Amino acid sequence: MGGGQFFFQAFVFLTAAVVCVPVAKRLGLGSVLGYLIAGAVIGPFGLGLVGEEGQDILHFAEFGVVLMLFLIGLELEPHRVWRLRGPILGTGGMQVLITALAVTGVALVVGLAWTAALALGMVLALSSTAIVLQSLQEKGLTRTAGGRSAFAVLLFQDLAVIPMLAVLPLLATGAGDHAGELGHAAEALWIDQFPGPVRTVVVLAAVAGVVLAGRFLLGPAFGVIARTQLRELFTAAALLLVIGIALLMDAVGLSPALGTFLAGVVLANSEYRHELESDIEPFKGLMLGLFFIAVGASIDFGLVAAQPGVIAAIVGSLILLKFVILVVLGRLFRLSLDQNLVFAFSLAQAGEFGFVLISFSVQEGVVDATVAAPVVASIALTMALTPVLMLINERLVQPRVGTRRTEERAPDEMDEQTPVIIAGYGRFGSVVGRLLSANGVEATVLDNDSDQVDLLRRMGLKVFYGDATRHDLLAAAGANQARLLVLALDSPERNLALCHTARKHFPHLRVMARAAGWDDAHELEVAGAEHVYRETLDASLRLGADALSLLGQRAYHAIRAARKFRRHDEEVVRNLAAMRDDRAAYLDTAREHIRELEELLRSDLAERTDDVDAGWDTETLMEDARSGWVKDSEADEDGRE
């Protein structure tokens, strides 16, 4: 490919990404689906801007998967990986074995030879590491039970590729006749010249070398590089590390992605972990995007149009078969229904390693090319459908599952009357509850996540299961006698619904609501919440005040400026709530308020003199008490009546 052609291809890929991905994100489809659509549009069966070289780009872009596994390894300390050994070996092993046998059985029924059927069973048992992990990260599901189980299965599948590559040549009808034709495997099988025990020792030595080097050598080496103060040199060293480990793993027949994951885990406790993450992250994102575009471009829509029934049957039956197997396994390993569905929907596709294995099978003579062609198209289609399946689960299935779980588990009986009800006991509500408890104020806590409730009770906290948006449960929790209702749910929509319920059925309650930002605050203000707290405002103001102090301003000046900023900002939010539907007026007023606040603070700064006593003057303290961080005593008395 000449220089001009290379730049043209780069221009095509980048343009497709820049145009399609923002549109897909805007429509709520996610970036992965946007990349896949971009690839289909520019591919040989779309606009034809990318031809056969798309397959070469696909193999090149698989490096993005390697980088992603390295970064995931950096986030996992060794003891956390060890805790996953059960799901990796149990869930992962059973998934690969059962799916491979099931697909083999179906292939035998349709008339394939047992060797070809078994090869297809191994090929289609795998799932897409790149698409699944990216989609889970994008939706914030990686740390959920379903996300962790999916990750464990994907790790085992990466391990399983190694024995699969070893077994496929044994299934060949003309063993040895095609070995020389294989590109990828031929490069990695130099150790075949050694006896089996020696090969095992070489593989183990390679793995041990990666672990020992990460433990004892890489830290000092990165220290030397860091002392050069050259950011680009550190980035080059990070990429060199990943590429070197990938080459080593490939040379001994192991998965490069698995090897770099292991290196990441070893470096998870390194002081250079965050620097490595920040340097490699941009390359990972770009390479993964390129990989997804190449997958979209590789879908043979001509073959799909020529054999629509066959392709649809393969795609539909594969997704359904894997989905059922995954649901059964999730049930067996005690995943809750909602997490089990996340697990099943995310893994119900074929994977990128399937392209390698099916190509290997054809070259070895195990699978005929006429059989492989629709399988390759089906693999690409199932990968492309994965973001759609996860979107269906998120938008259509999970809301109904949540309702069903509420019906399956009856709300807890609540026999206590307390002055405060807290709805939601996550990272926000738990701080409120603990502060109240430490000051002798008991609160009734409601949470709709049964797993969270059980966990908190085991920790000794008094939390009740129930959907606080139901007015009957609020009444059972003592809303008729309570004085305050704290809305601390993670979902802004549910917080707003609860605010409406409280205002309608329990108008005497003072509602104190958590808000994510200005838009949520406006909605809650209009719904009747008397006190709205944006979850990042206090922390931001504390940081800003501390920054002013560290820059030399006196502490009381900095804190007064933060308090003045807060009073003005909260007033702005209340004023803007009334005009939130008129976007032009809203933006004009917001700009005016921002300008006024800046002038107010600058004026205050200009009025300061050096001879002011370095303490708190009584007048300002009284002003702050009246209108700042606490409400005046009259409002408090009103609440007691």
Side-chain angles (χ1 to χ4, degrees):
M1 181 185 296
Q5 182 66 13
F6 171 79
F7 284 120
F8 175 74
Q9 292 294 327
F11 177 79
V12 168
F13 273 88
L14 293 174
T15 301
V18 170
V19 171
C20 292
V21 174
V23 173
K25 290 277 286 184
R26 182 83 175 179
L27 296 175
L29 302 178
S31 64
V32 175
L33 191 56
Y35 283 121
L36 293 168
I37 294 171
V41 170
I42 67 174
F45 306 100
L47 298 177
L49 299 175
V50 177
E52 293 299 323
E53 69 274 9
Q55 287 295 330
D56 298 329
I57 293 173
L58 178 63
H59 296 308
F60 171 71
E62 286 175 359
F63 184 54
V65 183
V66 172
L67 292 175
M68 179 175 64
L69 265 295
F70 178 70
L71 290 177
I72 290 173
L74 283 176
E75 296 176 359
L76 291 175
E77 297 178 0
H79 70 274
R80 292 178 62 193
V81 177
W82 179 249
R83 288 205 305 266
L84 284 173
R85 67 189 184 281
I88 291 173
L89 298 176
T91 314
M94 292 183 67
Q95 183 274 327
V96 171
L97 179 62
I98 295 173
T99 305
L101 292 177
V103 173
T104 299
V106 173
L108 288 172
V109 169
V110 299
L112 293 180
W114 74 270
T115 52
L118 183 56
L120 290 180
M122 291 188 289
V123 168
L124 299 178
L126 305 177
S127 301
S128 174
T129 301
I131 290 179
V132 173
L133 292 183
Q134 180 74 4
S135 298
L136 289 174
Q137 287 177 351
E138 207 169 80
K139 297 181 182 299
L141 298 173
T142 52
R143 296 186 182 275
T144 63
R148 289 195 300 269
S149 297
F151 175 67
V153 169
L154 291 168
L155 270 185
F156 185 88
Q157 290 178 355
D158 279 348
L159 281 169
V161 171
I162 303 161
M164 288 178 183
L165 285 169
V167 168
L168 285 174
L170 302 178
L171 301 177
T173 54
D177 294 343
H178 304 273
E181 300 173 13
L182 181 63
H184 179 276
E187 296 172 5
L189 296 180
W190 63 272
I191 60 173
D192 284 350
Q193 59 185 303
F194 302 113
V198 176
R199 291 201 299 271
T200 303
V201 171
V202 171
V203 171
L204 292 177
V207 174
V210 170
V211 174
L212 293 174
R215 182 72 178 83
F216 299 106
L217 299 180
L218 292 178
F222 279 119
V224 172
I225 295 168
R227 282 192 288 274
T228 65
Q229 300 291 312
L230 296 174
R231 174 78 182 269
E232 64 275 13
L233 187 61
F234 198 95
T235 302
L239 291 174
L240 175 64
L241 169 66
V242 175
I243 294 172
I245 293 173
L247 287 173
L248 175 63
M249 294 296 103
D250 194 58
V252 298
L254 294 176
S255 163
L258 188 66
T260 51
F261 170 77
L262 179 62
V265 171
V266 173
L267 291 170
N269 291 321
S270 167
E271 63 269 33
Y272 301 106
R273 164 191 164 187
H274 297 295
E275 184 73 16
L276 288 167
E277 286 179 336
S278 63
D279 284 346
I280 290 179
E281 181 69 34
F283 295 96
K284 184 266 291 186
L286 184 61
M287 297 300 292
L288 271 183
L290 186 60
F291 173 80
F292 298 139
I293 291 176
V295 169
S298 70
I299 300 175
D300 190 343
F301 289 102
L303 181 63
V304 173
Q307 304 180 36
V310 173
I311 302 294
I314 296 174
V315 171
S317 59
L318 177 62
I319 290 176
L320 180 61
L321 180 65
K322 296 188 81 168
F323 182 85
V324 171
I325 292 172
L326 290 163
V327 167
V328 172
L329 285 176
R331 189 74 173 174
L332 182 64
F333 285 89
R334 299 181 179 179
L335 286 176
S336 60
L337 179 58
D338 57 336
Q339 295 301 312
N340 196 4
L341 290 172
V342 170
F343 173 63
F345 272 104
S346 64
L347 294 175
Q349 81 287 119
E352 54 271 1
F353 280 116
F355 295 125
V356 177
L357 293 178
I358 196 69
S359 175
F360 191 7
S361 301
V362 172
Q363 291 169 345
E364 288 293 318
V366 181
V367 177
D368 189 81
T370 57
V371 174
V375 172
V376 170
S378 300
I379 290 174
L381 282 174
T382 60
M383 291 171 66
L385 286 173
T386 300
V388 178
L389 293 175
M390 296 185 71
L391 201 62
I392 290 173
N393 177 54
E394 178 186 7
R395 299 282 181 84
L396 302 178
V397 178
Q398 289 295 334
R400 290 168 174 77
V401 168
T403 301
R404 189 175 306 150
R405 288 183 68 194
T406 302
E407 293 170 353
E408 288 174 355
R409 173 170 173 172
D412 294 331
E413 293 185 5
M414 291 163 278
D415 54 2
E416 296 186 3
Q417 303 295 331
T418 61
V420 182
I421 299 173
I422 301 177
Y425 211 68
R427 58 187 174 86
F428 191 95
S430 61
V431 174
V432 177
R434 288 163 54 202
L435 177 62
L436 294 176
S437 178
N439 285 274
V441 178
E442 294 298 320
T444 300
V445 179
L446 291 171
D447 201 291
N448 196 37
D449 186 335
S450 59
D451 296 334
Q452 174 82 345
V453 169
D454 293 338
L455 174 63
L456 292 171
R457 283 187 172 179
R458 287 198 296 270
M459 294 169 61
L461 299 173
K462 188 172 289 186
V463 184
F464 297 96
Y465 174 76
D467 183 0
T469 60
R470 290 171 50 183
H471 76 274
D472 57 327
L473 290 184
L474 274 181
N480 288 311
Q481 291 78 34
R483 293 168 52 195
L484 300 179
L485 172 63
V486 178
L487 311 185
L489 300 169
D490 286 332
S491 167
E493 293 79 11
R494 294 187 65 226
N495 269 334
L496 184 60
L498 179 51
C499 185
H500 284 296
T501 300
R503 288 276 67 96
K504 179 179 179 182
H505 297 282
F506 310 100
H508 71 282
L509 278 176
R510 279 187 158 183
V511 178
M512 309 177 75
R514 164 193 184 182
W518 277 26
D519 289 339
D520 293 331
H522 296 334
E523 296 290 345
L524 289 164
E525 291 267 5
V526 173
E530 298 169 88
H531 310 275
V532 178
Y533 302 85
R534 280 169 286 152
E535 55 191 25
T536 58
L537 179 61
D538 286 324
S540 303
L541 289 176
R542 277 190 57 202
L543 190 153
D546 289 346
L548 291 174
S549 297
L550 291 173
L551 291 171
Q553 290 197 23
R554 290 174 175 172
Y556 66 93
H557 281 318
I559 294 175
R560 284 176 180 173
R563 289 178 174 177
K564 188 169 291 187
F565 186 102
R566 174 176 175 164
R567 289 197 298 271
H568 189 277
D569 192 69
E570 289 180 339
E571 182 182 352
V572 169
V573 171
R574 286 191 292 270
N575 292 341
L576 289 177
M579 58 183 68
R580 69 192 189 284
D581 294 328
D582 186 346
R583 204 62 181 172
Y586 180 97
L587 293 175
D588 288 340
T589 306
R591 282 193 292 267
E592 180 63 22
H593 278 299
I594 291 172
R595 186 187 60 79
E596 288 177 0
L597 177 59
E598 290 177 351
E599 291 180 355
L600 180 66
L601 294 179
R602 288 197 189 101
S603 174
D604 183 62
L605 181 62
E607 292 173 0
R608 298 177 190 170
T609 60
D610 291 336
D611 58 347
V612 175
D613 179 61
W616 299 96
D617 62 86
T618 306
E619 183 179 347
T620 306
L621 279 175
M622 293 177 64
E623 179 187 348
D624 288 339
R626 284 195 299 269
S627 58
W629 301 84
V630 295
K631 296 298 178 183
D632 58 29
S633 58
E634 293 180 3
D636 190 48
E637 290 297 330
D638 291 341
R640 292 193 182 98
E641 294 176 357

